[in-house]
């Protein structure tokens, strides 16, 4: 029977456009619950642990953490709630990271900048949340900005939900006004509090506890894969049915329809910024499992007697590709230690295990591979990681992926937004027009102009440097 798994458990994902303050707000939530006081160095964006994430100031990989919260007022005063938090990337190129983890959540915090309002990635992540019918709390972040316009932003979020055909229930969303940088949240637009307790109270009050079938065979969907040099592959996912115990024999339901026997040697539940070992994890919870051997994201951990797979996570297709090949120039072998096509193929194969939005095909020769991704930044981060790991290769220019739909050759179209000074609007519009852009809206926001246009993906290649110099 489908019933609430644990009434004091919440599984939430934080989604937003890039640089709208998701990870900074998570820092405030961790600090409010005391999770950053237990031997963790005081730093900004503590979940952005990857070196490239810290250098670029953006989130690239989805991450899990958990906090314990005890409300001091309201219907749940005195109860202890455990909140599993999933921090997601905000850049459109890493949308595959968002798609694969949203299924673990029962509700989302939709963060929107108090000045910028909904942006292209806001539309994308919100549409994915609506497809899963997840409960939404709108958090208007960065309300400390001098040019903040929170009331208008809430109206724009409502209009976006209407445009995405949201149900009447989803249109009736609660709103929290916050400043992640200064660590406060409030239910009132003009009230500044001392902490983010109002946000945590809203999570407890408005977001549902997980539900599932407790009296049926085990079903756990793997949504994240990690690797440890000591224990090998680690599976992270959510239990949708039954329960899993430490040392239990399980079946891995794989993509090709076959099943493989394995054993869950150790179980871990998320606590603060780390994990704690447990003997059993019940339905609705998120956990990490060691000892399963080889598996892929999207596989199902099931009961050996009745192995029923869960529907795999659907990921949108890539939009452009680049040619990766060995470096056969006269100066090859001088900068890297991995230079052969076999080593390059093994590295790309390993990347495919965790990077679901990536596609790799064989090239015209055995020395080259056609690698497809969501965008230039998606493939650029892969190249940077490979360079730092010691791989030496040559790369072709990026090309968009065209498809034939109903007999017509089609190309990917992107939604582009530009914020610029009034004096530079003419130069920006001229550049967008020269690259096939069609202006959708042109609005004044404060002292700046906000431009939205639809543009072919090929028009975005090399645009950043041109855009930075266009107004000059």
């Amino acid at each position: 029977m489908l019933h609430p798994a644990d009434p004091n458990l919440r599984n939430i994902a934080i989604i937003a456009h890039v640089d709208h303050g998701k990870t900074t707000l998570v820092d405030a939530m961790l600090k409010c619950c005391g999770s950053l006081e237990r031997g963790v160095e005081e730093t900004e964006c503590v979940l952005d642990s990857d070196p490239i994430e810290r250098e670029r100031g953006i989130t690239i990989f989805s991450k899990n953490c958990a906090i314990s919260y005890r409300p001091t007022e309201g219907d749940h005063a005195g109860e202890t709630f455990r909140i599993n938090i999933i921090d997601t990337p905000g850049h459109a190129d890493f949308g595959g990271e968002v798609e694969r983890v949203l299924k673990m959540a029962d509700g989302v915090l939709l963060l929107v900048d108090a000045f910028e309002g909904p942006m292209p990635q806001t539309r994308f992540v919100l549409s994915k949340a609506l497809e899963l019918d997840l409960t939404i709390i709108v958090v208007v972040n960065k309300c400390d900005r001098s040019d903040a316009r929170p009331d208008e932003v809430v109206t724009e979020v409502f209009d976006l939900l209407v445009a995405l055909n949201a149900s009447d229930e989803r249109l009736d969303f609660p709103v929290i006004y916050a400043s992640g940088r200064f660590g406060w949240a409030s239910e009132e637009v003009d009230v500044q509090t001392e902490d983010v307790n109002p946000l945590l109270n809203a999570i407890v009050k408005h977001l549902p506890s997980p539900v599932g079938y407790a009296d049926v065979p085990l079903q756990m969907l793997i949504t994240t894969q990690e690797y440890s040099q000591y224990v090998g592959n680690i599976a992270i996912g959510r239990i949708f049915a039954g329960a899993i115990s430490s040392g239990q024999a399980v079946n891995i339901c794989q993509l090709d329809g076959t099943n493989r026997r394995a054993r869950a040697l150790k179980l871990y539940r998320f606590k603060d910024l780390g994990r704690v070992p447990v003997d059993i994890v019940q339905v609705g919870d998120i956990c990490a499992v060691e000892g399963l051997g080889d598996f892929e994201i999207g596989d199902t951990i099931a009961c050996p007697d009745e192995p029923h797979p869960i529907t795999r996570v659907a990921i949108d297709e890539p939009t452009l590709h680049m040619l990766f090949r060995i470096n056969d120039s006269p100066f090859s072998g001088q900068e890297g230690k991995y230079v052969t096509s076999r080593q390059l193929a093994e590295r790309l194969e390993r990347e495919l295990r965790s990077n679901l939005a990536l596609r790799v095909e064989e090239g015209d020769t055995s020395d080259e591979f056609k690698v497809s991704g969501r965008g230039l930044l998606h493939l650029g981060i892969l190249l940077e990681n490979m360079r730092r790991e010691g791989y030496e290769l040559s790369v072709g220019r990026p090309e968009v992926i065209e498809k034939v739909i109903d007999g017509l050759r089609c190309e990917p179209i992107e939604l582009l937004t530009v914020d610029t000074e009034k004096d530079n609007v003419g130069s920006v519009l001229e550049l967008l027009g020269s690259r096939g852009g069609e202006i959708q809206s042109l609005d004044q926001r404060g002292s700046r102009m906000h431009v939205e246009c639809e543009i072919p993906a090929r028009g975005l290649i090399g645009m950043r440097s041109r855009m930075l110099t266009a107004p000059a």
Side-chain angles (χ1 to χ4, degrees):
M1 177 180 177
L2 190 66
H3 66 281
D6 182 353
N8 289 2
L9 176 64
R10 300 290 185 271
N11 298 320
I12 68 168
I14 303 184
I15 58 176
H17 186 80
V18 64
D19 201 32
H20 278 198
K22 296 180 301 300
T23 308
T24 306
L25 186 66
V26 173
D27 286 354
M29 296 168 67
L30 289 165
K31 186 175 181 180
C32 181
C33 296
S35 299
L36 292 183
E37 299 175 359
R38 298 164 186 159
V40 179
E41 181 182 354
E42 186 77 15
T43 181
E44 289 188 359
C45 300
V46 66
L47 287 182
D48 287 345
S49 54
D50 187 81
I52 297 183
E53 289 181 321
R54 291 203 169 276
E55 291 171 14
R56 294 177 177 259
I58 61 174
T59 301
I60 298 175
F61 308 104
S62 297
K63 303 175 190 69
N64 296 75
C65 64
I67 57 177
S68 295
Y69 175 63
R70 177 176 293 180
T72 57
E73 57 186 23
D75 297 337
H76 301 287
E79 300 181 40
T80 300
F81 288 82
R82 189 162 56 86
I83 304 174
N84 286 316
I85 302 174
I86 307 166
D87 185 28
T88 64
H91 199 285
D93 282 19
F94 308 111
E97 289 283 311
V98 181
E99 291 170 292
R100 69 177 173 82
V101 299
L102 272 185
K103 204 165 183 178
M104 288 196 293
D106 299 293
V108 296
L109 301 184
L110 177 67
L111 259 68
V112 187
D113 189 289
F115 171 72
E116 294 182 354
M119 299 289 278
Q121 182 69 354
T122 310
R123 170 184 287 268
F124 172 78
V125 295
L126 185 55
S127 66
K128 296 301 179 181
L130 291 175
E131 288 178 9
L132 296 173
D133 196 29
L134 300 178
T135 306
I136 299 168
I137 294 178
V138 175
V139 181
V140 183
N141 197 27
K142 302 187 180 182
C143 287
D144 55 290
R145 293 182 59 159
S146 59
D147 53 3
R149 48 186 193 95
D151 292 331
E152 297 176 37
V153 166
V154 172
T155 302
E156 292 173 4
V157 172
F158 181 86
D159 293 340
L160 176 58
L161 283 165
V162 172
L164 293 174
N165 298 318
S167 64
D168 292 343
E169 184 181 3
R170 296 294 168 253
L171 291 175
D172 186 21
F173 53 84
V175 180
I176 297 293
Y177 304 92
S179 170
R181 178 178 293 274
F182 293 101
W184 61 264
S186 173
E187 296 180 345
E188 304 294 334
V189 64
D190 297 322
V191 178
Q192 181 173 329
T193 62
E194 297 180 354
D195 49 38
V196 294
N197 278 340
L199 172 60
L200 297 172
N201 289 332
I203 292 172
V204 169
K205 178 180 178 181
H206 297 291
L207 298 186
S209 59
V211 296
Y213 298 94
D215 51 353
V216 297
L218 168 67
Q219 281 184 308
M220 174 180 170
L221 180 65
I222 300 174
T223 58
T224 304
Q225 182 187 64
E226 293 185 0
Y227 180 80
S228 167
Q229 59 180 335
Y230 302 107
V231 298
N233 292 323
I234 303 173
I236 299 175
R238 170 172 167 169
I239 298 175
F240 285 87
I244 186 170
S245 304
S246 179
Q248 176 180 340
V250 297
N251 259 31
I252 308 297
C253 302
Q254 302 176 114
L255 177 62
D256 57 5
T258 60
N259 296 326
R260 179 179 63 82
R261 295 294 291 266
R263 186 172 297 277
L265 296 181
K266 289 185 178 181
L267 300 179
Y268 293 88
R269 203 163 60 182
F270 290 92
K271 182 178 181 181
D272 301 328
L273 294 172
R275 303 168 189 164
V276 293
V278 292
D279 294 328
I280 187 170
V281 181
Q282 301 288 347
V283 61
D285 209 346
I286 298 172
C287 67
V289 185
E290 293 181 359
L292 298 177
D294 291 333
F295 57 84
E296 296 181 359
I297 293 176
D299 288 351
T300 299
I301 302 175
C303 174
D305 298 329
E306 299 182 55
H308 301 299
I310 301 174
T311 303
R312 301 180 77 88
V313 179
I315 303 295
D316 288 351
E317 297 182 3
T319 57
L320 58 81
H321 63 81
M322 299 172 70
L323 202 63
F324 288 24
R325 60 173 291 124
I326 63 171
N327 181 15
D328 53 3
S329 71
F331 300 101
S332 62
Q334 296 186 14
E335 295 186 0
K337 58 182 180 180
Y338 305 115
V339 297
T340 67
S341 60
R342 178 185 59 81
Q343 292 168 329
L344 183 59
E346 290 175 351
R347 176 61 180 84
L348 293 174
E349 179 67 27
R350 190 166 69 250
E351 183 70 21
L352 287 173
R353 289 180 170 269
S354 58
N355 197 337
L356 295 190
L358 198 72
R359 302 287 187 273
V360 177
E361 305 173 25
E362 293 183 357
D364 296 333
T365 69
S366 60
D367 294 335
E368 61 184 30
F369 306 89
K370 186 163 69 173
V371 182
S372 306
R374 286 285 184 86
L376 286 176
L377 185 60
H378 185 201
L379 296 178
I381 293 297
L382 171 61
L383 283 170
E384 178 64 15
N385 278 324
M386 293 177 66
R387 184 191 67 81
R388 296 186 182 197
E389 293 168 11
Y391 288 86
E392 184 179 312
L393 67 155
S394 58
V395 184
R397 65 184 179 90
E399 298 179 356
V400 298
I401 299 175
E402 297 179 341
K403 297 178 64 176
V404 176
I405 303 176
D406 297 330
L408 298 175
R409 191 174 69 174
C410 303
E411 63 178 340
I413 302 295
E414 304 283 359
L415 178 63
L416 174 68
T417 65
V418 181
D419 287 294
T420 184
E421 299 292 338
K422 294 180 182 179
D423 297 340
N424 302 327
V425 172
S427 300
V428 170
L429 296 182
E430 181 181 358
L431 176 59
L432 295 177
S434 67
R435 292 186 168 237
E438 296 184 3
I439 306 301
Q440 303 296 309
S441 66
L442 180 61
D443 305 309
Q444 181 173 345
R445 294 184 178 178
S447 62
R448 302 174 69 84
M449 300 298 293
H450 180 79
V451 184
E452 289 190 3
C453 80
E454 290 185 349
I455 187 170
R458 56 184 166 86
L460 295 175
I461 299 175
M463 173 175 277
R464 184 178 183 275
S465 58
R466 292 286 303 277
M467 182 66 73
L468 292 175
T469 56

